């Protein structure tokens, strides 16, 4: 990597990977959840067992929790600190896009990194506190390192470092989100075998990488200890995590995720989200994919000594997008960020297979897609009823339209100027999102209006941000949801003290809290529908201080 390339990657990372993390509060439910779990690790000094509202929470492994906890220990209990692991994920992703494009022979591989930072889905995932960005980064890093290990063996260079990076990254991905990482990375490399089989040297390089004993030993040494220790400390974890959270989630609709009940949407769900997610680079991806497939189908022409490696690399990069797309399309559980790992291979292929002299054509393609995004944002305030902050949405539409027009009519346009303009438009997207987010996304404004030192009840739903902002456990009434597993592992007395599924128990629970500590007021964050169904005599016992369309803040009189 040249000094200029390092500088370009650094600026892209700073402005599109780091700055957005400062620009808004934590959103319900995911961001608040993934901030609260590491906060509780810090508070309890228990780094082995993840807990949410002080009950067992075994849906995901702990790596990102550990990173967020370390960040919050260093920088304080802030939204930025909780999100800081996303900056690491973005940095890894940018480097992977650059490295993969370089391996494919791109003339300006830094454009692949910029495309990976500005594709719509990648940009959103890189600043929303879920596990998907870090999981995707480690998974793609494992794939890129695996490709480099195979290439090193084919070219008879030392390959141990790349192999260890591949297996170590795969282990870290497993510690971030689970078994999908080794399944997908292994599946991609296994599916690439037919493209290596006819060349003995290529076949040997791939098989030696796949079966590298030192690599598998490292994978086991990194990935296995936590699973062993947490099962020993909490018997039943393995059954819940591997059976319920993996096998049942993949093979059934037990989680009732998007698309699961529509047979057509179910099959094309991720295809649609991948197409939208790579905007404004969809045209470039389609062109790159078409050229990559045409290259693989070519059977005539001059053959160099390195031709088997080139052919296999192109095939593996295409499979790097195709295998996750197929794998997740067959799953019974679907959410848009799942397809994130397919984005970098597509963009690297698009960058590398762009022909010399085609740069302005590529920018024109991106310009047309930016125009589409601009029109959609301009139309949104007139289509979506009761949209808060419509002026920001209109400003966003104008910004994307301006960038689209500039791409189509590139007067005084240069590569760095286009990067700066599109980056600014995306930062505006983050700022606008913070202004138009509905109250259900940011419950902190309600919580801060409660009396100082309040004891809290979450009613009708579990408001994830409550314990994060208050630093205390909250009582949950008629809203246990994903806390059910942890609740069911409490002793009966503790369970009755902190969890009640009967809505009529709201007032008795509030009265108990007051009796235990009369010096502190009792506040409840209540879902609107729960408040509607609450008996009138219980409503009369509370004073509603703030009300929104979705929930309300009530204080025990």
């Amino acid at each position: 990597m040249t000094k200029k390339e390092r500088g370009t990657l650094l600026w892209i990372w700073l402005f599109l990977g780091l700055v957005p993390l400062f620009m808004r509060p934590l959103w319900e439910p995911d961001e608040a959840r993934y901030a609260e779990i590491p906060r509780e690790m810090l508070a309890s000094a228990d780094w082995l067992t993840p807990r949410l509202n002080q009950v067992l929470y075994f849906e995901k492994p702990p790596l990102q929790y550990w990173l967020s906890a370390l960040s919050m220990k260093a920088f304080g209990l802030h939204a930025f600190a909780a999100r800081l692991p996303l900056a690491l994920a973005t940095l890894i992703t940018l480097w992977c896009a650059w490295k993969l494009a370089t391996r494919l022979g791109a003339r300006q591989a830094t454009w692949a990194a910029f495309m990976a930072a500005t594709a719509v889905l990648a940009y959103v995932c890189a600043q929303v506190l879920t596990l998907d960005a870090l999981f995707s980064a480690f998974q793609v890093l494992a794939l890129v390192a695996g490709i480099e290990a195979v290439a090193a063996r084919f070219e008879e260079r030392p390959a141990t470092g790349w192999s260890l990076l591949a297996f170590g990254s795969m282990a870290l991905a497993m510690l971030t989100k689970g078994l999908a990482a080794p399944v997908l990375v292994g599946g991609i490399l296994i599916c690439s075998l037919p493209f290596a089989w006819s060349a003995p040297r290529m076949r040997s390089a791939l098989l030696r990488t796949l079966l590298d004993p030192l690599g598998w030993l490292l994978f086991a040494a990194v990935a296995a200890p936590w699973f062993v220790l947490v099962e020993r400390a909490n018997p039943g974890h393995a059954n819940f995590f591997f059976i319920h959270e993996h096998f049942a989630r993949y093979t059934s609709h037990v989680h009732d995720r998007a698309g699961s009940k529509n047979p057509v949407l179910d099959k094309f769900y991720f295809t649609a989200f991948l197409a939208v997610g790579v905007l404004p680079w969809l045209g470039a991806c389609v062109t790159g994919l078409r050229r990559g497939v045409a290259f693989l189908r070519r059977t005539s022409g001059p053959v160099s000594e390195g031709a088997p490696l080139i052919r296999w690399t192109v095939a593996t990069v295409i499979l790097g997008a195709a295998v996750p797309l197929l794998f997740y399309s067959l799953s019974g559980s679907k959410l848009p960020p799942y397809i994130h790992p397919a984005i970098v291979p597509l963009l690297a292929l698009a960058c590398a297979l762009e022909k010399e002299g085609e740069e302005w054509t590529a920018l024109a393609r991106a310009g047309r897609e930016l125009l589409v995004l601009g029109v959609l944002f301009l139309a949104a305030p007139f289509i979506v009823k009761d949209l808060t902050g419509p002026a920001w949405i209109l400003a966003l539409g104008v910004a994307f339209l301006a960038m689209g027009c500039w791409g189509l009519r590139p007067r005084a346009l240069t590569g760095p100027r286009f990067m700066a303009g599109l980056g600014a438009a995306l930062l505006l997207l983050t700022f606008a999102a913070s202004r138009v987010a509905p109250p259900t996304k940011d419950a902190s404004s309600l919580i801060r209006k409660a009396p100082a030192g309040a004891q809290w009840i979450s009613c009708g739903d579990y408001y994830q941000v409550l314990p994060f902002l208050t630093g205390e456990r909250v009582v949950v009434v008629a809203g246990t949801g994903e806390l059910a597993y942890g609740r069911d592992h409490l002793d009966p007395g503790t369970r009755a003290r902190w969890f009640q599924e009967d809505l009529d128990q709201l007032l008795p629970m509030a009265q108990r809290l007051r009796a235990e500590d009369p010096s502190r007021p009792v506040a409840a964050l209540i879902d609107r529908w729960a408040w509607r169904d609450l008996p009138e005599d219980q409503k009369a016992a509370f004073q509603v201080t703030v009300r929104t369309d979705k929930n309300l803040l009530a204080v025990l009189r």
Side-chain angles (χ1 to χ4, degrees):
M1 182 182 287
T2 66
K3 183 178 180 180
K4 181 179 179 181
E5 287 177 321
R6 283 197 299 271
T8 302
L9 288 182
L10 178 62
W11 283 111
I12 293 171
W13 175 72
L14 284 174
F15 283 97
L16 297 177
L18 193 61
V19 170
L21 305 184
F22 290 88
M23 295 178 67
R24 57 179 180 80
L26 294 171
W27 279 351
E28 291 277 354
D30 293 336
E31 289 200 303
R33 177 196 306 119
Y34 293 125
E36 171 59 14
I37 294 171
R39 187 202 68 81
E40 292 189 27
M41 281 186 168
L42 281 177
S44 66
D46 183 356
W47 294 71
L48 177 66
T49 303
R51 289 183 175 85
L52 183 58
N53 200 35
Q54 299 186 30
V55 300
L56 302 177
Y57 189 82
F58 287 156
E59 292 197 9
K60 300 295 184 292
L63 180 58
Q64 184 163 306
Y65 306 152
W66 292 340
L67 295 177
S68 288
L70 290 172
S71 174
M72 288 190 284
K73 186 176 180 64
F75 301 109
L77 299 178
H78 307 296
F80 158 73
R83 291 194 188 106
L84 198 56
L86 299 179
L88 172 64
T90 301
L91 188 62
I92 293 171
T93 299
L94 297 183
W95 182 87
C96 286
W98 170 84
K99 186 64 178 178
L100 202 53
T102 300
R103 167 56 57 186
L104 289 166
R107 298 183 311 281
Q108 298 185 55
T110 50
W111 270 92
F114 177 70
M115 293 160 74
T118 54
V120 170
L121 182 59
Y123 178 74
V124 171
C125 286
Q127 57 181 281
V128 177
L129 185 56
T130 67
L131 308 183
D132 296 286
L134 193 64
F135 173 74
S136 174
F138 283 131
Q139 181 181 314
V140 173
L141 179 59
L143 176 62
V144 172
I147 290 173
E148 291 298 320
V150 172
R153 287 190 169 96
F154 178 84
E155 296 167 350
E156 299 180 346
R157 295 183 285 109
T160 302
W162 286 114
S163 282
L164 293 181
L165 179 60
F167 282 94
S169 300
M170 194 162 61
L172 293 176
M174 184 168 173
L175 278 174
T176 302
K177 205 173 179 185
L179 283 171
V183 169
L184 286 170
V185 176
I188 291 165
L189 294 179
I190 289 171
C191 288
S192 74
L193 272 169
F195 298 94
W197 204 258
S198 60
R201 201 164 113 204
M202 190 69 236
R203 180 175 68 239
S204 173
L206 178 54
L207 289 175
R208 286 165 61 198
T209 301
L210 276 168
L211 303 175
D212 186 344
L214 191 59
W216 283 110
L217 183 63
L218 176 65
F219 176 81
V222 173
W226 178 80
F227 289 99
V228 173
L229 292 173
V230 78
E231 173 65 20
R232 184 178 298 173
N234 304 276
H237 168 270
N239 180 73
F240 178 82
F241 182 77
F242 291 108
I243 303 302
H244 182 267
E245 286 300 301
H246 281 76
F247 183 76
R249 182 189 290 265
Y250 187 84
T251 60
S252 72
H253 295 152
V254 63
H255 289 275
D256 194 26
R257 291 289 172 80
S260 62
K261 294 181 179 179
N262 185 310
V264 176
L265 182 61
D266 189 58
K267 297 297 181 293
F268 295 100
Y269 180 89
F270 284 116
T271 303
F273 271 103
L274 184 57
V276 174
V278 297
L279 290 174
W281 312 109
L282 176 60
C285 288
V286 171
T287 301
L289 188 59
R290 187 178 69 248
R291 289 172 178 171
V293 172
F295 172 78
L296 294 178
R297 294 175 63 182
R298 190 179 304 155
T299 57
S300 60
V303 178
S304 66
E305 185 181 359
L309 175 60
I310 297 171
R311 177 179 171 82
W312 174 83
T313 302
V314 172
T316 305
V317 173
I318 293 174
L319 289 168
V323 169
L325 178 60
L326 178 62
F327 177 82
Y328 287 118
S329 293
L330 295 175
S331 171
S333 179
K334 292 178 169 64
L335 287 175
Y338 291 0
I339 201 61
H340 190 201
I343 290 178
V344 166
L346 279 177
L347 295 174
L349 194 70
C351 178
L353 297 187
E354 179 182 285
K355 296 178 181 178
E356 189 171 0
E358 201 177 48
E359 295 83 2
W360 297 114
T361 303
L363 282 181
R365 289 195 208 103
R368 285 190 289 270
E369 294 171 34
L370 288 168
L371 287 177
V372 171
L373 287 173
V375 170
L376 290 175
F377 281 116
L378 285 176
F382 304 99
I383 297 174
V384 180
K385 295 181 179 179
D386 302 323
L387 184 67
T388 57
W392 289 108
I393 300 299
L394 293 174
L396 190 59
V398 171
F400 279 114
L401 280 178
M403 286 304 303
C405 291
W406 204 14
L408 288 172
R409 295 183 176 274
R411 294 179 181 176
L413 181 61
T414 63
R417 289 176 182 177
F418 187 85
M419 287 183 176
L422 182 53
L426 288 172
L427 289 176
L428 178 60
L429 172 63
T430 300
F431 188 79
S434 69
R435 293 297 182 269
V436 303
T440 51
K441 281 294 182 186
D442 179 18
S444 61
S445 57
L446 284 181
I447 296 168
R448 292 189 176 98
K449 294 177 181 177
Q455 306 174 80
W456 280 95
I457 299 175
S458 182
C459 179
D461 194 3
Y462 174 59
Y463 292 95
Q464 309 272 356
V465 79
L466 258 175
F468 181 80
L469 291 180
T470 63
E472 294 183 354
R473 192 175 190 174
V474 301
V475 172
V476 182
V477 176
T480 302
E482 63 185 345
L483 298 178
Y485 178 87
R487 176 203 61 191
D488 294 344
H489 283 73
L490 297 173
D491 63 79
T494 305
R495 185 188 314 161
R497 174 180 173 80
W498 294 103
F499 294 92
Q500 290 290 337
E501 287 308 301
D502 186 354
L503 183 61
D504 290 350
Q505 289 298 307
L506 174 61
L507 181 57
M509 295 294 275
Q511 292 171 333
R512 177 184 62 76
L513 289 175
R514 170 170 285 175
E516 291 175 353
D517 191 349
S519 65
R520 298 177 63 191
V522 178
L525 197 57
I526 307 174
D527 177 78
R528 187 182 100 183
W529 301 109
W531 180 259
R532 184 198 63 180
D533 296 336
L534 195 68
E536 291 299 325
D537 60 324
Q538 293 212 24
K539 290 182 182 179
F542 291 88
Q543 179 182 359
V544 177
T545 58
V546 186
R547 189 189 300 265
T548 73
D549 291 341
K550 300 295 183 181
N551 46 35
L552 53 89
L553 171 65
V555 179
L556 184 65
R557 296 181 188 275

